Amino acid sequence: RLMRETECGAVKLESGEAMAETIAFLTARGIPVMAHIGLTPQAVNVFGGYKTQGQGNQDAARILNDAKEIEKAGAFSTVIEKVPDPLARNITSELEIPTIGIGASAACDGQVLVLEDMLGLAPRVPKFVKEYADMRSAVEGAVKAYARDVRARAFPAEEHTYPTLEEVPEALKKFNISVS
């Protein structure tokens, strides 16, 4: 039902081995699953904030295990977020499914960035983001100009409104509303 009503092509589940059973359940029913390992934003508070994951040997081994388990469970690919380059390279070489890096490594099979981050719209930009534009200033300027025009009643102007149709005054008469 989720796939049909949202017209999505897949679901993305954050976590690794802990979601393997769910991934297997969904994929067995024909629902494509993309996994997400390393830093998982919906669990950021569990990690104590937006901290790099997999820096110690034990944590790196856990994330590599997560990657292998989600592949075994049937995920068609995985996002790897905010892990050291060597770990992302290792995961990418160990898996047969594609890896998509976000703050991971150029060695991942693909890359993704949050649009607001890359366009310079986010107030907090992670180290791994390259800002390709500074849209923040342009957006702030546009919003300030809009607010100024609204306060001055300069917007909407006549060219931004619709003319009254002849039928409207007749229709309003039955409600005792007059239009001049």
Side-chain angles (χ1 to χ4, degrees):
R1 179 175 171 209
L2 171 77
M3 302 289 288
R4 184 179 62 251
E5 289 183 15
T6 64
E7 298 182 18
C8 69
V11 296
K12 184 177 78 68
L13 298 177
E14 292 187 357
S15 187
E17 184 177 16
M19 290 301 290
E21 187 177 330
T22 301
I23 292 168
F25 177 86
L26 292 171
T27 57
R29 286 151 182 81
I31 299 172
V33 176
M34 172 184 267
H36 188 144
I37 59 174
L39 178 76
T40 50
Q42 276 66 49
V44 74
N45 293 327
V46 173
F47 298 124
Y50 289 91
K51 296 179 180 176
T52 304
Q53 302 299 302
Q55 290 186 302
N57 289 338
Q58 189 174 0
D59 198 31
R62 177 188 58 80
I63 294 171
L64 177 58
N65 182 64
D66 283 345
K68 291 177 178 180
E69 291 301 315
I70 56 98
E71 181 177 56
K72 272 196 254 177
F76 70 86
S77 69
T78 187
V79 172
I80 305 173
E81 184 166 351
K82 204 167 184 181
V83 303
D85 177 88
L87 176 57
R89 286 178 184 279
N90 190 13
I91 292 169
T92 299
S93 70
E94 294 272 334
L95 298 184
E96 298 208 12
I97 61 173
T99 59
I100 310 299
I102 179 165
S105 171
C108 292
D109 298 308
Q111 298 295 320
V112 65
L113 280 179
V114 174
L115 185 64
E116 289 82 359
D117 291 345
M118 73 183 319
L119 294 179
L121 293 171
R124 184 192 65 77
V125 180
K127 175 186 177 181
F128 61 79
V129 171
K130 178 178 178 180
E131 288 188 12
Y132 286 86
D134 176 17
M135 300 299 291
R136 187 180 310 111
S137 300
V139 169
E140 285 175 1
V143 170
K144 285 177 183 176
Y146 166 74
R148 190 173 44 251
D149 283 356
V150 168
R151 285 187 198 99
R153 301 220 180 259
F155 179 82
E158 186 177 340
E159 66 266 22
H160 306 114
T161 59
Y162 299 98
T164 304
L165 300 176
E166 290 181 15
E167 301 85 45
V168 173
E170 282 301 314
L172 293 177
K173 282 183 184 175
K174 67 181 173 183
F175 299 106
N176 292 326
I177 299 173
S178 63
V179 177
S180 339

